[in-house]
Amino acid sequence: MTAGLPQASFIERARFALTYALPSLFRGALIPQAFWTELATRLNTGQWAVATVERLSERHGGRSLLLRGVLGKTLLILTTEDVRRVLDSPVEVFALDAGEK
């Protein structure tokens, strides 16, 4: 599924990391951290994250795209068709613990 998908530029990846990924990590991926959750709420980081994803969608024609990061590639799914394709695919295609990783 990832073949032929657009790839985010370095600037787009950095913006995504700063506005979406980092605030999510600080708030607590599994266990919410009160201080960081309060700070994220005060800074309205959710609005920044939505604006970033909307901008990526507009810039790439609404197509899902690949984001390369320190830990590997991330597929940012932006269409309902792609969501269905991922959910209908065998687990091995999109598994985090795939053999190549």
Side-chain angles (χ1 to χ4, degrees), residues 3-84:
L5 284 177
Q7 293 194 25
S9 69
F10 175 79
I11 298 295
E12 290 171 329
R13 294 189 318 257
R15 182 174 182 196
F16 183 82
L18 291 172
T19 63
Y20 184 85
L22 287 178
S24 294
L25 289 174
F26 281 130
R27 280 194 311 268
L30 300 174
I31 301 171
Q33 303 295 317
F35 171 80
W36 294 110
T37 300
E38 175 68 23
L39 182 61
T41 301
R42 287 179 187 255
L43 295 175
N44 202 10
T45 59
Q47 183 177 349
W48 296 357
V50 169
T52 296
V53 172
E54 286 176 345
R55 188 172 181 187
L56 286 169
S57 179
E58 289 170 9
R59 180 157 156 58
H60 295 280
R63 295 183 63 207
S64 298
L65 68 146
L66 290 174
L67 298 159
R68 280 195 208 167
V70 177
L71 300 177
K73 295 178 185 176
T74 298
L75 176 60
L76 180 60
I77 302 172
L78 298 172
T79 67
T80 54
E81 295 83 19
D82 287 345
V83 169
R84 185 158 318 283

